Amino acid sequence: ICWLIFIRSLDIFRKERWLDIVIVFLLGGFFTHFCWIGYDYAHYTWDFDISGDFVNDFIYCVGVIGVGEEIVKLIPWIGFIFLARKAKEPYDYLLYASVSALGFAFVENFKYLEEPGNISGRAIMSTVMHMFAASLVAYGFILGRYRAKSKQWKVLFPILGFVAASFAHGFYDFWIISPAAKSLTVITTIFFITTAAIWFKMINNAMNNSPYYVSRSFNPRYQIHILSIGLITVMVVEYMILYYEFGTQSANYLLNFRGWMIPLFLSFVSILLFEFEVVKGRWRKFEYK
């Protein structure tokens, strides 16, 4: 809910209806269950699964998890965008892709939240990663529609976006779930920081090229307040659950161990938002200054 409100608040020129957003969110959650078709097919037909072998696990994470989950997240928003013809500006592509990803993450997270200590971590890292990967596909469609100068690139950009999304998704998961790579999970953290910065630049470019653009100063304090209230509330709820289930010591341990994560992440997001350059027609380059 926190992230839904946040990403809709960035739709500053022509806001989408909450009804449409809720529909895509629910569809994203519903289609989550279809991932098991791909997992079961790989397991029972090819005997292909996580084995602890570096190469095997990397291919599995990209080819089965990455491809499968990005297809599942793609179905609700692409159907809504093209069948219902809801894409009126570039940001609509990113918005509905992220909403579908949030629906997916909402359902998927229940599998991991049997351990309350996962709540704040998944509210930030895995949820943002789902939105980023889905947005790569959406950004491919944006480039195909608004930047491509030939028919070939209009087709290639969305395909490349899907390939990039599948690879990014699998790369993120690999360092967490493969026994061969768990000693290097810090790579996932570094990758997450990089992808979050890219995601915000994609959003900025989409905003800049809206046909409904009107000159106005962008003050991100509202968006920062939304995210701050939401994520701090998540942390408080997580603390209360741990306190109720396991006692003061466990709750305080969580606060000491992960209490830095949300303030640090909010500071990072604040920097990214204050770097926004809302300028008509500008395509910002993906580079670190």
Side-chain angles (χ1 to χ4, degrees), residues 69-240:
E69 293 193 6
E70 292 313 313
I71 289 175
V72 166
K73 288 189 291 183
L74 180 68
I75 296 170
W77 77 264
I78 203 170
F80 201 74
I81 285 280
F82 291 101
L83 297 180
R85 297 184 178 181
K86 291 292 182 180
K88 305 298 183 183
E89 58 179 337
Y91 185 68
D92 291 347
Y93 289 88
L94 295 180
L95 174 64
Y96 285 115
S98 297
V99 170
S100 177
L102 285 174
F104 183 99
F106 179 78
V107 173
E108 183 190 59
N109 282 345
F110 279 105
K111 183 172 68 174
Y112 297 95
L113 297 185
E114 292 177 359
E115 302 227 2
N118 287 329
I119 294 175
S120 57
R122 294 198 65 83
I124 296 176
M125 291 188 65
S126 63
T127 301
V128 172
M129 190 61 206
H130 274 304
M131 290 192 288
F132 167 73
S135 293
L136 283 174
V137 186
Y139 199 71
F141 279 95
I142 291 172
L143 293 177
R145 178 173 176 182
Y146 294 94
R147 293 216 74 182
K149 296 180 180 180
S150 66
K151 291 183 179 179
Q152 289 85 350
W153 280 109
K154 286 183 182 295
V155 175
L156 278 175
F157 273 132
I159 293 173
L160 291 173
F162 179 78
V163 171
S166 301
F167 180 84
H169 192 141
F171 186 87
Y172 175 90
D173 283 354
F174 171 71
W175 306 99
I176 300 174
I177 66 176
S178 171
K182 279 194 173 181
S183 61
L184 297 171
T185 52
V186 67
I187 293 177
T188 289
T189 304
I190 296 170
F191 186 63
F192 167 77
I193 294 169
T194 304
T195 54
I198 294 172
W199 185 49
F200 276 93
K201 286 190 177 181
M202 289 193 294
I203 292 172
N204 193 175
N205 284 344
M207 292 165 62
N208 287 347
N209 290 276
S210 171
Y212 301 95
Y213 182 96
V214 290
S215 181
R216 66 174 65 171
S217 60
F218 175 70
N219 189 335
R221 287 185 176 84
Y222 174 64
Q223 284 79 13
I224 293 169
H225 289 161
I226 290 172
L227 208 54
S228 299
I229 293 170
L231 293 179
I232 290 171
T233 300
V234 167
M235 191 71 183
V236 170
V237 170
E238 184 175 27
Y239 181 90
M240 292 171 64

Side-chain angles (χ1 to χ4, degrees), residues 30-104:
F30 171 75
F31 277 96
T32 303
H33 302 288
F34 285 76
C35 284
W36 292 106
I37 297 173
Y39 299 149
D40 288 346
Y41 187 84
H43 178 75
Y44 293 108
T45 305
W46 299 335
D47 194 26
F48 189 30
D49 213 329
I50 295 292
S51 67
D53 177 77
F54 192 96
V55 175
N56 174 88
D57 292 357
F58 189 83
I59 294 172
Y60 182 88
C61 287
V62 173
V64 177
I65 298 176
V67 171
E69 293 193 6
E70 292 313 313
I71 289 175
V72 166
K73 288 189 291 183
L74 180 68
I75 296 170
W77 77 264
I78 203 170
F80 201 74
I81 285 280
F82 291 101
L83 297 180
R85 297 184 178 181
K86 291 292 182 180
K88 305 298 183 183
E89 58 179 337
Y91 185 68
D92 291 347
Y93 289 88
L94 295 180
L95 174 64
Y96 285 115
S98 297
V99 170
S100 177
L102 285 174
F104 183 99

Side-chain angles (χ1 to χ4, degrees), residues 249-267:
Q249 187 174 358
S250 295
N252 288 341
Y253 176 78
L254 171 80
L255 200 60
N256 293 330
F257 182 66
R258 285 192 174 168
W260 56 270
M261 181 184 293
I262 287 176
L264 192 62
F265 178 71
L266 290 172
S267 299

